């Protein structure tokens, strides 16, 4: 009986999994009281369940995803920037190259003139002949103009040559030294051959024909009294020492002596070693025996071809003759050439000559 009560008691106690029904119970079943249902606590699932928590592994994974995403975004930005820079560099290079080519093209257009005379189209044979004929006429006209200009130039040149020749002869007639020359054959001067050295005789060229005067190449001493001083037109004596006596047109108070020799630049032998170097001047009295020393001088071929030397004639004395004594030349071993000698001074009258020289008239 005790077990039956316990069984009933056990049957009457509700189990946690049993459903409690307040109605629709079968007839004859024991009535269950509602109080135990009221005493059961209500279950709140939101209060009893714990809030969800993010685990550390999930956060680490999230951070890795973010880092990878940022790295990919940065790489993409860098690639885009490089592409932009490369495009800008390419654009700059292309621009500079285009500018350089444009400058070269403009320079070529400026330097190379276009061929204006080049025909733009093919010419027919008749047109070509017509053009050749026209150009031939133009050439003939140009030739006629050139001939005319040549005649005018020749006329002007002839006029200028004549004027220059007049000036040259005028200067020759005036004398470069601007002094009267009394050793000039045209005014009466001559050579005293008895008191002058012998001419140079070249034995190597002394042929039969040279014995005749009109075939003889040697010049007489009188050539030094002429104004012609072309190369070779000189009086040559043997060796480097000799003398010449000039008979003056009257008694002259000598003041200067001028020697002239062509410059080395026009000499045929390439130099002036046959020119006189050291020389002395003497005045001869009326008796032809008394010589008065008037000075010793040196002719320098490196200087002017005309050189004037002042004589030591103080007090001034008048002489009818003057003697030029050549003492040396500029190195020629066989002969010395004398081109022109000029004597300057004042010609005196008979009375003045007698008082100046102290001799008889």
């Amino acid at each position: 009986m005790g077990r039956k009560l316990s069984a009933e008691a056990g049957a009457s106690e509700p189990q946690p999994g049993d459903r409690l029904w307040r109605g629709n119970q079968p007839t004859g079943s024991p009535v269950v009281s509602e109080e135990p249902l009221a005493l059961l606590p209500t279950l709140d699932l939101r209060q009893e369940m714990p809030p969800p928590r993010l685990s550390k592994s999930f956060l680490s994974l999230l951070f890795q995803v973010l880092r990878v995403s940022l790295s990919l975004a940065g790489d993409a930005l860098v690639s885009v920037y490089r592409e932009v820079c490369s495009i800008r560099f390419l654009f700059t290079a292309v621009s500079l190259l285009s500018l350089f080519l444009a400058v070269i093209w403009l320079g070529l257009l400026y330097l190379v003139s276009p061929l204006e005379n080049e025909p733009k189209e093919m010419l027919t044979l008749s047109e070509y002949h017509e053009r050749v004929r026209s150009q031939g006429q133009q050439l003939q006209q140009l030739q006629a103009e050139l001939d005319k200009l040549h005649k005018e130039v020749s006329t002007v040149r002839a006029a200028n040559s004549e004027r220059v020749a007049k000036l040259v002869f005028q200067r020759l007639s005036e004398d470069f030294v601007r002094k009267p020359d009394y050793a000039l054959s045209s005014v009466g001067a001559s050579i005293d051959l008895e008191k002058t050295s012998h001419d140079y005789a070249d034995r190597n060229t002394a042929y039969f024909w040279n014995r005749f005067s009109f075939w003889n190449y040697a010049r007489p001493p009188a050539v030094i009294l002429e104004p012609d001083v072309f190369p070779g037109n000189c009086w040559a004596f043997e060796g480097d020492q000799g003398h010449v006596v000039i008979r003056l047109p009257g008694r002259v108070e000598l003041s200067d002596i001028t020697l002239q020799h062509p410059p080395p630049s026009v000499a045929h032998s390439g130099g002036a070693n046959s020119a006189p170097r050291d020389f002395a001047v003497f005045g001869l009295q009326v008796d032809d025996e008394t010589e008065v020393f008037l000075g010793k001088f040196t002719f320098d071929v490196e200087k002017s071809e005309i050189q004037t030397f002042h004589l030591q004639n103080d007090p001034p004395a008048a002489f009818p003759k003057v003697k030029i004594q050549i003492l040396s030349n500029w190195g020629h071993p066989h002969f010395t050439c004398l081109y022109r000698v000029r004597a300057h001074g004042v010609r005196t009258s008979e009375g003045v000559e007698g008082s100046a020289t102290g001799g008889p008239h």
Side-chain angles (χ1 to χ4, degrees):
M1 186 169 184
R3 292 180 180 178
K4 185 178 181 179
L5 291 174
S6 60
E8 294 178 355
S12 62
E13 292 180 0
Q15 294 299 325
D18 296 339
R19 294 182 177 179
L20 299 179
W21 299 96
R22 295 168 58 181
N24 300 328
Q25 293 181 355
T27 305
S29 61
V31 178
V32 181
S33 176
E34 294 179 0
E35 292 179 1
L37 295 173
L39 295 176
L40 289 175
T42 60
L43 296 176
D44 191 356
L45 296 177
R46 292 179 298 177
Q47 294 181 359
E48 292 179 0
M49 294 177 63
R53 296 181 181 179
L54 298 177
S55 62
K56 293 182 179 180
S57 60
F58 178 76
L59 293 176
S60 175
L61 180 62
L62 181 61
F63 288 151
Q64 291 180 0
V65 170
L66 290 176
R67 185 177 60 184
V68 171
S69 300
L70 292 175
S71 176
L72 293 176
D75 294 338
L77 291 176
V78 170
S79 301
V80 171
Y81 177 74
R82 289 179 179 177
E83 291 294 333
V84 170
C85 291
S86 62
I87 293 173
R88 182 182 299 173
F89 174 77
L90 181 62
F91 178 75
T92 303
V94 170
S95 300
L96 293 176
L97 182 60
S98 302
L99 181 60
F100 179 72
L101 293 177
V103 170
I104 293 178
W105 178 254
L106 292 176
L108 292 176
L109 290 178
Y110 177 77
L111 293 177
V112 180
S113 59
L115 299 177
E116 298 179 356
N117 297 328
E118 184 179 358
K120 298 181 180 180
E121 58 183 1
M122 297 298 294
L123 298 177
T124 61
L125 184 60
S126 60
E127 292 176 349
Y128 178 77
H129 285 298
E130 182 65 23
R131 179 166 297 184
V132 169
R133 187 179 63 82
S134 176
Q135 292 180 355
Q137 292 178 356
Q138 293 179 1
L139 288 176
Q140 290 179 359
Q141 293 177 359
L142 290 176
Q143 185 65 35
E145 292 180 359
L146 287 176
D147 294 339
K148 183 179 179 181
L149 290 175
H150 185 267
K151 291 180 181 179
E152 293 179 356
V153 169
S154 300
T155 304
V156 173
R157 183 180 298 175
N160 290 335
S161 300
E162 185 177 358
R163 185 171 59 87
V164 170
K166 288 182 179 179
L167 290 176
V168 170
F169 285 116
Q170 182 180 0
R171 292 298 301 272
L172 287 175
S173 61
E174 290 178 353
D175 205 340
F176 288 105
V177 294
R178 300 285 182 174
K179 295 180 180 181
D181 181 15
Y182 293 100
L184 192 63
S185 60
S186 60
V187 298
S190 61
I191 301 295
D192 190 348
L193 296 178
E194 295 180 357
K195 297 183 179 298
T196 301
S197 300
H198 296 287
D199 301 342
Y200 172 68
D202 190 356
R203 298 178 181 84
N204 296 328
T205 58
Y207 298 109
F208 173 77
W209 297 107
N210 289 337
R211 298 181 183 275
F212 297 93
S213 60
F214 55 86
W215 284 102
N216 193 0
Y217 65 91
R219 301 298 179 183
V223 74
I224 68 174
L225 307 180
E226 301 293 337
D228 185 3
V229 289
F230 289 104
N233 192 29
C234 66
W235 171 60
F237 58 88
E238 190 172 359
D240 59 349
Q241 294 183 358
H243 58 275
V244 59
V245 175
I246 302 173
R247 187 182 294 110
L248 301 176
R251 293 190 179 184
V252 180
E253 295 179 359
L254 297 174
S255 61
D256 302 277
I257 287 291
T258 298
L259 263 62
Q260 184 174 356
H261 193 279
S265 58
V266 300
H268 291 174
S269 59
N273 54 359
S274 63
R277 183 171 183 174
D278 298 323
F279 66 98
V281 180
F282 299 89
L284 274 67
Q285 296 288 3
V286 181
D287 56 2
D288 285 348
E289 298 295 335
T290 305
E291 297 181 353
V292 179
F293 178 74
L294 299 179
K296 181 181 178 181
F297 311 96
T298 299
F299 182 84
D300 191 355
V301 293
E302 299 296 333
K303 295 182 179 180
S304 175
E305 63 271 15
I306 301 176
Q307 300 179 28
T308 301
F309 307 92
H310 185 67
L311 300 177
Q312 305 172 6
N313 191 8
D314 189 20
F319 303 97
K321 296 181 182 180
V322 60
K323 178 182 178 181
I324 310 298
Q325 181 78 38
I326 306 300
L327 304 176
S328 63
N329 63 13
W330 284 92
H332 201 286
H334 302 296
F335 60 86
T336 303
C337 283
L338 198 60
Y339 274 83
R340 186 179 179 187
V341 178
R342 311 185 196 188
H344 311 290
V346 178
R347 186 173 182 178
T348 62
S349 63
E350 292 294 331
V352 176
E353 291 173 0
S355 61
T357 57
H361 295 288

